[in-house]
Amino acid sequence: MSAPLNPQAEAIATSRGPGFLRRLCRSRTAMLALGFIGLVILLAALAPFVAGHDPMVGGDDAMLPPLSPGHWLGTDDLGRDVWAQTVYGARVSLMVGLVTALFAVSIGVVVGGLAGYYGGWVDTVLMRVSEFFQTLPRFVLALIVIALFGSGLWKVIFVIAILSWPQTARLVRASVSSLRQQPFVDAARVGGMGDRALLLREILPNVAAPIIVTGSLDVAAAILLEAGLGFFGLGDPNHISWGSMLNEAQQYLRIAWWMSLFPGLAIALTVLSFNVLGDALNDALNPRSRVRS
Amino acid sequence: MLEVRDLSVEIAAGREKLRVVEGVSFSVGRGEAVGLVGESGSGKSMSAFAILNLFPSPHARIAGGDIWLEGRNLRGLSAREWRGVRGAQIGMVFQDPSSYLDPLIPVGRQVAETLRAHGRNEGAEARVLELLDLMELPSPAEVARKYPHELSGGMRQRILIAAALALRPALLIADEPTTALDVTVQAGILDLLTRLRVELDLGILLITHDLGVVAETCQQVHVMYAGTIVEQNEVGALFRQPRHPYSQGLLGSMLGPDSRAGNLFSIPGSVPGARDMPAGCRFHPRCPIFQPGLCDTGEPALVDRTGGGSDRCRRSGEFDNAWRRTA
Amino acid sequence: MWFVARRLLHAVPLLFCVVVLNFVLIAATPGDPVTILVGDFPAPPGYVEQVKREFGLDQPIYVQLMRYLGHVLTGDLGYSFANRQPVSTLILGRLAATLELTLTALLLASLLGIALGMLAARWRGSWLDSGVQGIASTGYSIPDFWLGQLLILVFSIWLGWLPSQGNMSVRGAPEGFAGFLDHLRYLLLPALALSFRYLALIARITRAAMLEVLSADFILAARSRGASETSVMITHALRNAAAPVITVIGYNLGFILAGSALIETVFGWPGIGRLLFDSISRRDYPVMMAILLMVSVTVVLANLATDILHRAIDPRVGDR
């Protein structure tokens, strides 16, 4: 049972050709995605200044449609401003997405690096464990863990990260075990370099690029997963998130479509941007996959 | 039997059209083996694919010339008629038998594919066993049921040859048939090809970069360089006295019984791409006897020489070995 | 045969680990584990005592694990006081609705995804190809439950064509064939919403697999034997592309299961996903744990089935 849960990352090889940045910049969709991600990050960072309203505090004007004076995306059932909520929601989604991906990639690099470098029983055990984690139904398990242990931003991040690392681990393992055979690594070993220095200085820089690709795809997956948790009412109650906005929108679909449209669009576009960026990075890393006819 | 006249092949690269084969002519008779020799990039494989009008890249096509097979010009055939020729009148075997066999289908059925593609469904199984036996494969019935990954490289190549010869075509095109195989296995395949040639009165067009293979298998040889034939002769004559400096260089780089590490020779430089073809003789930038004014103006023609054979060198016959300058 | 046996042997420890994980979750949850086993719902004190005894909560942890394993293996998943029913009965009652929804989505995603992927590969670089790739990226990024809300907004609320909640007309559901059609009207939107992400994935993989196979050497060899394009497609290309596609379909069944929890909630579909949502909001822990167990086991079995199917197509699998 070794197929990936996320086949997008499967084709990633270890090559890091010259002209990588140039190729990346030439992809218009990639630049568009990067631009959108930049915009979302900016809005999230400047939320207090661009929101215009407190997202948690309602007013007398409930259920105002978009383009109402003072509330250009409308208000929700409690009179809270949808724009303000969307902007503050970006904070949670980005935080969960980025931090989770960072955790997942870190665990994946350590596990994959150890398994690939040492091989033998270390490899067998670690890969069995990652296989087990890959088999687990991520969303349902995350739901239940949060339901059991209580919700909270850090718990959400931790749970998603724990369930997301095997992809990276497998990738790093494959790269490392093939790099281990390369002459320049042998040369370094003969030169008296220790295992740890060898892993950190010679091997990891060579698998850095594919790791960034999976990282980008991990961000997208984590944002989607968090939105699902929020929709199930298991997000952090102290923060507005896009998923929890959609949860509330569900009851008012008939009368307040804007409560669903804007947060949903925000999730879809952000996730799409990270996915597109991941794909573009991958294409830029492996120009052959594009050129071959 | 096979007459190729002035064959040209182009590959479309974006808006550009690159001529990778230019005005190539040769013929193969029944029961005769003809070698097409050259470095990679010389256009020898493309010439072979052109005879079947079947290219590995969708961007390649025949740009000019005629292909006469048993009195019929294949140029101008419809796609359907081409299919009738492939496998039935011309068989082809390839370089790496492991990638040219479908990994998911038992090999016997792949041999039978040739028969079925031409509507010979009756007795196909018996014919397959007969063919495998002809290829000197042990226990054909068992082998036929195996998958490619269960066979050795040499056995796979025999399967490919069986598939190519299932309908007793007059011509077999063999594109580097032994390059991917172990040396010990190579000899077996070459012996098999020679035996089949004699027993079946089969014409063979052998594409290779290895003059040794040609010496062992062929009667006629054409040396290709940068999309053109630069020298043509009987095998014995060419080995005795190559005229073109390129042929002399190729022969010089062969491993002979008296070659030692110290005197290994290789022609410096590499084959020019179709994009930056030198003016004049296409070989002149790498040629040791290049003469300015003579060799870099106007493409030299393929000239018949007295005593048989032909070549494209303007200084043909001046040196026995241009690389050692012995007159 | 050996292969199947080996794979079965491989699946058993995975299943065991899944059950142990369930147990660990129960044991590690802060608070009294008996709450998790009984649920956060007023239960008669006698029953609580009985559960404590049965699961050996006063015994060492390994005894507890053995007892838990024993319960799971005998199919005893506890009692839901919130629903006044044994958990297994409760889940079995909801199984049909979920199977109907997920299998429809699976079928829809596979058929459309494979068809789109093949068309895109056949006319590579055309507008059709770009369209399919666009669908693939979008489908992979859009949250399925939001897609469900959008479908409700458009087809139920604005256009009024299709119902948005439930799986049949509550009042006056017609009989026979008309009843079946009535039911299909309820099924269409949730099945679409559920299948989209999966469809995107399948289309993408099919396209890539077809492109790779069509440029393979053995395709050229088949053509050199005079095989027609149709025969090349059917005997060689489809078969070789099938292996990766089937692997992706089978290994990502979790997509559909996870998605169904969300989609059933959006569409009020009376299946296991909806049950999960309700039991989470009512803190009905035994039901939650049973559903987790069931979903995990389903995924392991789906992977097992995929491996066996893969082996049936590709003789190279498993005897490296």
Side-chain angles (χ1 to χ4, degrees):
Chain A
M1 303 196 181
S2 57
L5 290 176
N6 181 349
Q8 285 178 300
E10 184 61 351
I12 301 163
T14 53
S15 66
R16 185 171 47 160
F20 159 69
L21 271 179
R22 187 165 40 84
R23 277 195 301 274
L24 185 65
C25 294
R26 221 170 12 189
S27 157
R28 204 176 304 158
T29 44
M31 288 300 106
L32 218 61
L34 210 57
F36 186 79
I37 293 169
L39 179 72
V40 176
I41 291 178
L42 206 67
L43 285 176
L46 300 176
F49 306 102
V50 294
H53 297 268
D54 187 325
M56 307 291 274
V57 178
D60 301 331
D61 305 320
M63 302 286 193
L64 286 179
L67 300 180
S68 302
H71 302 281
W72 73 286
L73 292 187
T75 57
D76 73 355
D77 53 314
L78 301 174
R80 295 176 296 188
D81 184 66
V82 172
W83 165 248
Q85 286 185 301
T86 309
V87 168
Y88 274 93
R91 292 187 150 190
V92 172
S93 284
L94 281 181
M95 168 105 168
V96 170
L98 295 172
V99 177
T100 302
L102 195 69
F103 275 0
V105 165
S106 308
I107 304 174
V109 166
V110 171
V111 173
L114 292 177
Y117 189 77
Y118 290 107
W121 66 268
V122 179
D123 185 23
T124 311
V125 169
L126 288 177
M127 284 303 105
R128 274 292 150 85
V129 172
S130 86
E131 198 176 277
F132 173 64
F133 271 88
Q134 254 181 325
T135 315
L136 293 173
R138 292 203 307 170
F139 181 66
V140 178
L141 189 58
L143 271 182
I144 283 167
V145 171
I146 298 290
L148 288 177
F149 290 79
S151 59
L153 200 53
W154 285 102
K155 280 182 193 154
V156 171
I157 288 173
F158 181 72
V159 167
I160 302 180
I162 280 292
L163 295 173
S164 303
W165 59 267
Q167 184 72 41
T168 316
R170 286 186 168 276
L171 182 77
V172 173
R173 172 187 173 269
S175 308
V176 170
S177 61
S178 72
L179 277 172
R180 200 164 55 120
Q181 330 283 353
Q182 299 280 316
F184 71 93
V185 174
D186 272 342
R189 190 181 295 130
V190 173
M193 219 183 220
D195 277 356
R196 213 172 57 153
L198 206 57
L199 256 177
L200 289 180
R201 271 190 247 147
E202 298 295 331
I203 293 182
L204 277 187
N206 279 290
V207 297
I211 290 172
I212 293 172
V213 175
T214 33
S216 181
L217 301 176
D218 279 347
V219 175
I223 292 178
L224 267 186
L225 206 63
E226 190 275 337
L229 292 177
F231 182 73
F232 252 59
L234 293 173
D236 189 324
N238 303 314
H239 297 280
I240 292 284
S241 84
W242 292 337
S244 62
M245 288 172 76
L246 288 175
N247 178 11
E248 270 172 61
Q250 174 73 23
Q251 309 166 46
Y252 302 104
L253 274 184
R254 271 177 197 284
I255 38 179
W257 52 267
W258 55 89
M259 283 175 64
S260 163
L261 184 67
F262 298 116
L265 214 52
I267 301 172
L269 288 177
T270 310
V271 172
L272 182 65
S273 297
F274 278 106
N275 276 335
V276 165
L277 185 66
D279 284 351
L281 283 168
N282 192 23
D283 287 341
L285 285 173
N286 304 302
R288 265 175 313 141
S289 62
R290 268 286 157 95
V291 174
R292 255 193 88 178
S293 53
Chain B
M1 169 198 50
L2 175 78
E3 276 288 327
V4 173
R5 286 276 151 262
D6 261 340
L7 180 71
S8 297
V9 176
E10 346 178 282
I11 295 181
R15 247 168 257 147
E16 255 181 304
K17 285 193 172 139
L18 304 175
R19 285 242 159 166
V20 290
V21 174
E22 176 86 65
V24 162
S25 303
F26 55 85
S27 60
V28 183
R30 268 207 169 266
E32 182 186 34
V34 175
L36 216 50
V37 189
E39 293 165 275
S40 57
S42 62
K44 56 190 190 316
S45 288
M46 278 296 166
S47 312
F49 283 118
I51 296 168
L52 283 177
N53 191 21
L54 182 72
F55 295 96
S57 151
H59 304 296
R61 60 175 205 96
I62 300 176
D66 294 304
I67 300 159
W68 293 88
L69 185 70
E70 305 198 294
R72 182 161 70 137
N73 191 349
L74 302 184
R75 283 273 283 161
L77 290 192
S78 68
R80 197 189 178 80
E81 288 166 325
W82 268 115
R83 267 211 312 277
V85 172
R86 291 180 200 136
Q89 288 181 275
I90 307 175
M92 182 154 182
V93 296
F94 305 88
Q95 178 166 0
D96 179 2
S98 51
S99 69
Y100 283 93
L101 284 169
D102 187 327
L104 306 187
I105 296 181
V107 292
R109 274 180 52 205
Q110 304 196 50
V111 174
E113 184 174 32
T114 312
L115 301 167
R116 296 186 205 283
H118 297 275
R120 309 278 177 79
N121 293 317
E122 257 170 72
E125 263 130 79
R127 174 75 182 134
V128 168
L129 298 188
E130 199 182 305
L131 279 161
L132 297 188
D133 191 50
L134 184 68
M135 297 306 137
E136 299 163 8
L137 284 162
S139 41
E142 215 174 290
V143 170
R145 279 194 303 270
K146 299 224 164 171
Y147 289 93
H149 73 280
E150 297 170 313
L151 302 177
S152 69
M155 289 169 100
R156 286 184 215 143
Q157 192 58 284
R158 284 165 201 262
I159 298 289
L160 274 182
I161 298 174
L165 297 183
L167 287 167
R168 294 284 306 263
L171 177 71
L172 177 72
I173 302 173
D175 184 11
E176 303 270 10
T178 56
T179 309
L181 304 176
D182 289 343
V183 184
T184 46
V185 182
Q186 282 185 11
I189 296 288
L190 293 180
D191 288 348
L192 175 69
L193 285 178
T194 300
R195 211 198 77 215
L196 291 170
R197 174 175 65 77
V198 174
E199 280 178 16
L200 308 177
D201 199 21
L202 182 70
I204 296 181
L205 179 65
L206 185 80
I207 320 295
T208 180
H209 66 278
D210 186 347
L211 274 171
V213 171
V214 171
E216 233 174 288
T217 325
C218 299
Q219 287 83 55
Q220 290 283 326
V221 56
H222 300 259
V223 180
M224 278 192 79
Y225 183 79
T228 59
I229 290 178
V230 294
E231 180 164 3
Q232 176 277 124
N233 211 336
E234 280 172 24
V235 168
L238 186 111
F239 273 76
R240 260 191 319 277
Q241 184 43 62
R243 294 201 187 89
H244 198 283
Y246 180 63
S247 317
Q248 293 171 352
L250 276 187
L251 269 171
S253 56
M254 267 178 76
L255 286 172
D258 55 346
S259 56
R260 287 183 304 269
N263 61 12
L264 275 182
F265 173 79
S266 70
I267 306 174
S270 57
V271 184
R275 237 190 221 99
D276 34 33
M277 201 52 81
C281 172
R282 298 182 174 202
F283 187 61
H284 85 252
R286 298 171 77 186
C287 185
I289 54 168
F290 160 61
Q291 195 173 320
L294 177 68
C295 298
D296 51 5
T297 49
E299 187 153 5
L302 194 62
V303 181
D304 288 336
R305 304 294 176 189
T306 45
S310 53
D311 66 79
R312 240 180 235 282
C313 184
R314 292 203 170 111
R315 305 185 67 185
S316 169
E318 283 185 36
F319 298 97
D320 279 344
N321 186 343
W323 303 88
R324 286 193 199 139
R325 299 286 182 109
T326 50
Chain C
M1 221 46 236
W2 266 114
F3 177 80
V4 175
R6 272 218 315 272
R7 272 295 176 242
L8 274 172
L9 273 178
H10 190 87
V12 169
L14 272 179
L15 288 173
F16 178 76
C17 288
V18 162
V19 179
V20 171
L21 179 81
N22 256 28
F23 173 78
V24 169
L25 282 179
I26 294 172
T29 304
D32 191 351
V34 81
T35 325
I36 311 292
L37 290 171
V38 176
D40 196 7
F41 204 82
Y47 180 72
V48 174
E49 283 311 310
Q50 184 197 334
V51 166
K52 272 190 183 164
R53 232 178 311 113
E54 272 184 26
F55 283 87
L57 292 186
D58 47 353
Q59 311 260 335
I61 193 99
Y62 61 88
V63 178
Q64 295 182 27
L65 175 61
M66 294 329 277
R67 296 267 174 95
Y68 182 76
L69 279 174
H71 277 268
V72 169
L73 288 181
T74 51
D76 178 5
L77 299 170
Y79 190 86
S80 163
F81 280 93
N83 292 284
R84 300 179 184 285
Q85 261 180 334
V87 174
S88 45
T89 320
L90 191 62
I91 287 182
L92 281 178
R94 301 289 192 104
L95 196 59
T98 291
L99 277 181
E100 183 189 5
L101 179 60
T102 47
L103 290 181
T104 308
L106 179 66
L107 204 68
L108 215 61
S110 304
L111 292 180
L112 284 177
I114 290 172
L116 287 178
M118 282 176 57
L119 288 175
R122 175 69 186 77
W123 281 283
R124 181 183 195 185
S126 68
W127 59 268
L128 190 95
D129 186 17
S130 322
V132 170
Q133 294 205 63
I135 290 177
S137 311
T138 317
Y140 208 75
S141 305
I142 212 169
D144 37 17
F145 56 97
W146 181 58
L147 181 65
Q149 290 188 340
L150 282 186
L151 290 177
I152 291 177
L153 274 174
V154 174
F155 292 99
S156 304
I157 297 176
W158 289 346
L159 297 172
W161 288 352
L162 294 164
S164 69
Q165 295 291 311
N167 69 346
M168 53 150 98
S169 301
V170 181
R171 272 162 301 172
E175 300 285 313
F177 186 66
F180 174 70
L181 283 185
D182 175 67
H183 185 63
L184 275 191
R185 279 162 41 83
Y186 282 87
L187 180 63
L188 187 59
L189 289 187
L192 268 181
L194 185 53
S195 65
F196 196 51
R197 185 172 158 81
Y198 210 34
L199 180 157
L201 179 69
I202 294 172
R204 190 184 171 113
I205 294 298
T206 306
R207 176 180 179 275
M210 281 305 276
L211 281 181
E212 186 170 335
V213 170
L214 283 177
S215 68
D217 289 338
F218 58 80
I219 295 285
L220 189 71
R223 287 184 182 140
S224 83
R225 291 173 204 139
S228 68
E229 283 310 298
T230 327
S231 140
V232 165
M233 271 304 226
I234 293 172
T235 42
H236 299 286
L238 272 184
R239 205 185 163 88
N240 275 278
V245 172
I246 283 175
T247 309
V248 162
I249 292 179
Y251 270 78
N252 290 284
L253 208 70
F255 268 27
I256 291 247
L257 293 175
S260 73
L262 292 157
I263 293 296
E264 287 182 10
T265 308
V266 172
F267 287 92
W269 190 267
I272 291 172
R274 177 76 216 206
L275 180 65
L276 179 63
F277 181 78
D278 290 341
S279 56
I280 284 177
S281 48
R282 283 191 243 175
R283 301 166 69 76
D284 193 356
Y285 296 116
V287 178
M288 280 163 49
M289 299 317 287
I291 291 177
L292 174 60
L293 192 66
M294 202 191 78
V295 172
S296 309
V297 169
T298 310
V299 171
V300 172
L301 293 182
N303 289 1
L304 177 70
T306 307
D307 283 348
I308 292 172
L309 204 58
H310 190 180
R311 159 77 190 198
I313 294 176
D314 190 339
R316 288 167 300 177
V317 173
D319 51 43
R320 49 212 97 129

